Amino acid sequence: MEDFKDVVSFDNLYKAYRDSKKGKGYKRSSAKFEIMALEGISLLRSQLENKTYKVSKYNEFKVFEPKERVVKACEFKDKVVQHSLCDNILIPKLSKVFIKDNCAGQVGKGTLFGLDRLKENMLDFFKHNKNDGYILKCDISKFFYNIDHEVLKDMVRRYFEDEDVIWLCNLFIDSTEGVGIPLGNQISQVFALMYLDKMDHYILENLRIKYYGRYMDDFYLIHKDKKYLQKCLREIKKIVDELKLSLNNKTQIFPFKNGIKFLGFHTYITDSGIAIRKIDNHNKRIAKKKFTKMAKLLVENKISDKCFYESYNSWKNHVSHGNCKKLVQQMDLLINNILDAR
């Protein structure tokens, strides 16, 4: 059984404080906390033990890539508490419960893990069935914004027994009004992983789908029988309805030979059994627009070399995991032509 003492121990709170400092976007509240860090940690510990701790109001702003979203960032002190709760209680317990192909937000997992698992699944399916099969691709509509607080709190109670842990989880769940949990919170990421865990197990254990993967609200099933995938879709819709969510219009069944758009790449298997992974056209357009704009700002001395190249090299590192050599060459040529104006 989990122990709330692990959340409120001074050593764990101090480690959570150190880890929280590594994050971006907390310079002001981090600096304020750091002036009297030891006293601040002691105060947090006392508030948690006495149940007087409250979650501060979120700082709300919009981001526009890869699509427009409303992000709610917590105060630094709340990030420290989330780190301690997630790192010492939630993740250690839930990582033993989650399926292997729940690919997001866990140590050793992420987009590359999800892409590599998709590649493995597709190659193994091709080995036994060639291109004779189908893919059911599903996407939850506005997932984070529609997570139901009461459903989530019931889940927390099923997974955890310590009443103090449940109290703290519920405090974060109800830190926003109405439905939905805030993007930008570590604990929201963990709750999102947990929210569809029942569906993951049902797909693997009841529907007996061998080739399955999920990254947050984006998931796929591969099977040789289209009618069986149609049945799977009906069953998935029932579970999604119970969770007070809905599938969006991107959800569809299509031939395996078409490949699948997943985590920003289009992955498919050639007739000779070679896996190809390329950036999809939508993400190509976004990257071209973004870095053209940034390069022009660099020429105008409105951003620094560091700002530009950190972002651009990060993108190049990301696409290096696909068959994108020609795309990178084209992008380098485009950027260099703009920067030659300096």
Side-chain angles (χ1 to χ4, degrees):
M1 178 179 170
E2 66 280 351
D3 193 336
F4 189 67
K5 291 179 181 178
D6 292 331
V7 178
V8 301
S9 80
F10 189 90
D11 287 346
N12 286 341
L13 282 172
Y14 186 76
K15 183 179 184 303
Y17 155 70
R18 300 278 295 183
D19 290 340
S20 298
K21 284 177 61 180
K22 298 173 185 176
K24 297 180 179 179
Y26 293 89
K27 290 183 179 178
R28 184 180 299 176
S29 55
S30 172
K32 184 178 178 181
F33 192 97
E34 191 170 2
I35 293 171
M36 300 184 67
L38 298 182
E39 291 85 347
I41 292 168
S42 295
L43 178 60
L44 273 181
R45 185 184 186 193
S46 175
Q47 290 174 340
L48 289 166
E49 289 177 332
N50 298 328
K51 304 293 189 301
T52 57
Y53 169 77
K54 302 291 183 185
V55 180
S56 298
K57 185 177 179 180
Y58 292 98
N59 300 310
E60 188 173 307
F61 57 93
K62 286 185 178 181
V63 296
F64 299 92
E65 293 180 11
K67 58 185 178 181
E68 183 175 333
R69 295 174 297 168
V70 176
V71 175
K72 294 182 178 180
C74 64
E75 289 292 322
F76 184 76
K77 72 175 183 65
D78 300 316
K79 185 174 183 178
V80 172
V81 175
Q82 286 186 48
H83 253 296
S84 189
L85 175 60
C86 291
D87 298 349
N88 295 297
I89 299 292
L90 302 190
I91 294 174
K93 173 71 175 288
L94 293 172
S95 61
K96 299 174 183 177
V97 176
F98 292 155
I99 65 167
K100 179 179 181 179
D101 287 301
N102 181 343
C103 302
Q106 300 163 76
V107 176
K109 295 188 177 182
T111 54
L112 182 57
F113 176 87
L115 286 165
D116 286 343
R117 285 295 295 160
L118 170 64
K119 179 180 175 181
E120 291 173 19
N121 282 334
M122 293 184 76
L123 285 172
D124 195 59
F125 180 87
F126 182 88
K127 178 181 177 182
H128 295 94
N129 303 281
K130 299 300 180 183
N131 271 320
D132 184 21
Y134 295 86
I135 299 173
L136 167 57
K137 176 72 161 40
C138 299
D139 197 349
I140 305 290
S141 178
K142 298 180 179 178
F143 180 45
F144 278 81
Y145 303 113
N146 288 317
I147 287 177
D148 185 272
H149 288 196
E150 296 308 314
V151 172
L152 181 55
K153 285 191 281 188
D154 285 343
M155 286 183 184
V156 168
R157 188 164 288 280
R158 286 201 299 271
Y159 284 104
F160 300 97
E161 299 176 24
D162 190 309
E163 290 296 331
D164 293 331
V165 170
I166 294 169
W167 163 78
L168 187 54
C169 286
N170 289 348
L171 207 61
F172 280 108
I173 292 170
D174 288 331
S175 62
T176 54
E177 295 182 359
V179 297
I181 56 177
L183 282 168
N185 270 359
Q186 181 189 16
I187 199 168
S188 293
Q189 302 291 318
V190 177
F191 286 153
L193 293 171
M194 183 178 72
Y195 204 76
L196 295 176
D197 179 61
K198 175 185 175 182
M199 182 191 73
D200 291 339
H201 285 278
Y202 186 85
I203 289 171
L204 291 183
E205 297 159 13
N206 295 72
L207 297 178
R208 303 284 183 177
I209 293 294
K210 181 178 180 181
Y211 305 109
Y212 171 71
R214 175 169 73 88
Y215 193 96
M216 285 300 178
D217 57 333
D218 196 7
F219 56 98
Y220 64 85
L221 294 74
I222 305 174
H223 197 272
K224 62 181 179 180
D225 189 338
K226 184 177 182 179
K227 288 186 177 180
Y228 188 69
L229 285 180
Q230 291 171 338
K231 175 188 175 182
C232 291
L233 179 55
R234 291 192 294 270
E235 294 299 311
I236 288 169
K237 283 182 177 178
K238 291 178 185 177
I239 296 174
V240 170
D241 286 344
E242 290 175 3
L243 296 173
K244 299 186 179 181
L245 300 171
S246 61
L247 298 173
N248 66 22
N249 56 14
K250 296 179 184 177
T251 298
Q252 59 180 313
I253 298 172
F254 46 84
F256 178 83
K257 65 182 180 181
N258 291 2
I260 177 176
K261 292 179 181 179
F262 187 64
L263 298 178
F265 285 86
H266 178 209
T267 304
Y268 61 94
I269 309 297
T270 66
D271 291 336
S272 56
I274 298 173
I276 302 295
R277 181 192 295 161
K278 292 186 175 182
I279 290 289
D280 65 49
N281 290 330
H282 175 69
N283 285 300
K284 282 183 188 177
R285 290 192 294 270
I286 290 176
K288 183 178 179 180
K289 181 179 179 181
K290 174 183 177 179
F291 293 115
T292 296
K293 180 179 179 180
M294 288 187 70
K296 289 178 179 177
L297 290 173
L298 181 56
V299 169
E300 296 167 2
N301 293 317
K302 292 181 178 179
I303 62 172
S304 66
D305 283 59
K306 180 181 179 182
C307 176
F308 174 79
Y309 283 108
E310 277 186 355
S311 181
Y312 187 52
N313 289 333
S314 176
W315 175 80
K316 290 208 293 186
N317 180 62
H318 173 65
V319 300
S320 71
H321 299 300
N323 305 88
C324 303
K325 185 177 180 180
K326 185 177 179 180
L327 172 63
V328 172
Q329 290 173 342
Q330 291 172 344
M331 190 70 80
D332 279 342
L333 181 61
L334 172 66
I335 297 303
N336 289 333
N337 285 338
I338 297 172
L339 297 183
D340 282 344
R342 286 204 290 178

